[in-house]
């Protein structure tokens, strides 16, 4: 098949296929007339690359999977190099998850603090003569914070 058909079947563009070719991930075979030619094994390579990229793998991280398929294995992730990439990616993901948990804890603590402050303001507003609580942003181009009855 020619480049346009392969691109369509793989759900990508001819430009992307040429880029993969330049990176050594897709074989560069040419017909007598000079056109690039591909077969079903190339489609398998592309599907492997695209699936891994959809999971967040970088293009270079797909190389061991492609090499595994080219070596004739039934799946691209059964070779030692592919397994090593999986292990590294899982470690990276675990680090990101830990970082997100930390950020989530910090945001949760900020929410708890803000709700406690708000509860204190609301309690003060229920007292006779207390200001009505209002929340307005201040800064360049934004409104000034005022409280009911303070005239500021």
């Amino acid at each position: 098949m020619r480049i346009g058909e392969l691109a369509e079947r793989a759900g990508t563009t001819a430009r992307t296929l040429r880029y993969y070719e330049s990176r050594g991930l897709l074989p560069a075979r040419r017909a007598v007339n000079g056109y690039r030619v591909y077969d079903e094994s190339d489609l398998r390579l592309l599907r492997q690359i695209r699936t891994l990229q959809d999971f967040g793998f970088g293009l270079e991280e797909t190389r061991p999977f492609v090499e595994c398929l080219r070596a004739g294995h039934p799946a691209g992730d059964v070779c030692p190099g592919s397994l090593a990439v999986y292990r590294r990616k899982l470690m990276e993901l675990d680090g990101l998850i830990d970082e997100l948990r930390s950020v989530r804890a910090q945001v949760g603590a900020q929410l708890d603090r803000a709700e406690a402050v708000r509860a204190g303001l609301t309690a003060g507003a229920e007292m006779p003569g207390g200001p009505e609580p209002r929340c307005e942003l201040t800064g360049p181009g934004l409104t000034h914070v005022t409280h009911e009855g303070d005239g500021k």
Side-chain angles (χ1 to χ4, degrees), residues 7-89:
E8 184 177 326
R9 289 183 64 190
T12 190
T13 65
R15 181 179 182 182
T16 298
L17 298 185
R18 287 190 296 272
Y19 178 70
Y20 292 168
E21 180 184 314
S22 75
R23 304 293 300 178
L25 293 169
L26 191 61
R29 294 184 305 273
R30 302 248 180 197
V32 176
N33 61 8
Y35 291 132
R36 289 174 174 88
V37 291
Y38 302 96
D39 59 25
E40 293 298 318
S41 66
D42 298 318
L43 182 59
R44 268 183 77 210
L45 294 177
L46 284 172
R47 287 185 174 149
Q48 180 75 76
I49 292 167
R50 304 284 293 168
T51 297
L52 291 168
Q53 285 192 307
D54 287 347
F55 290 157
F57 286 69
L59 189 57
E60 281 305 309
E61 290 174 311
T62 69
R63 190 172 299 281
F65 298 85
V66 169
E67 290 170 355
C68 190
L69 285 172
R70 281 188 180 161
H73 294 279
D77 60 0
V78 297
C79 296
S82 305
L83 297 173
V85 171
Y86 273 156
R87 286 185 195 99
R88 281 193 307 269
K89 183 57 77 173

Side-chain angles (χ1 to χ4, degrees), residues 101-121:
R101 282 190 178 126
S102 174
V103 169
R104 188 192 188 291
Q106 291 172 25
V107 171
Q110 286 295 104
L111 174 62
D112 291 344
R113 182 203 54 76
E115 286 178 336
V117 169
R118 173 138 174 87
L121 290 175

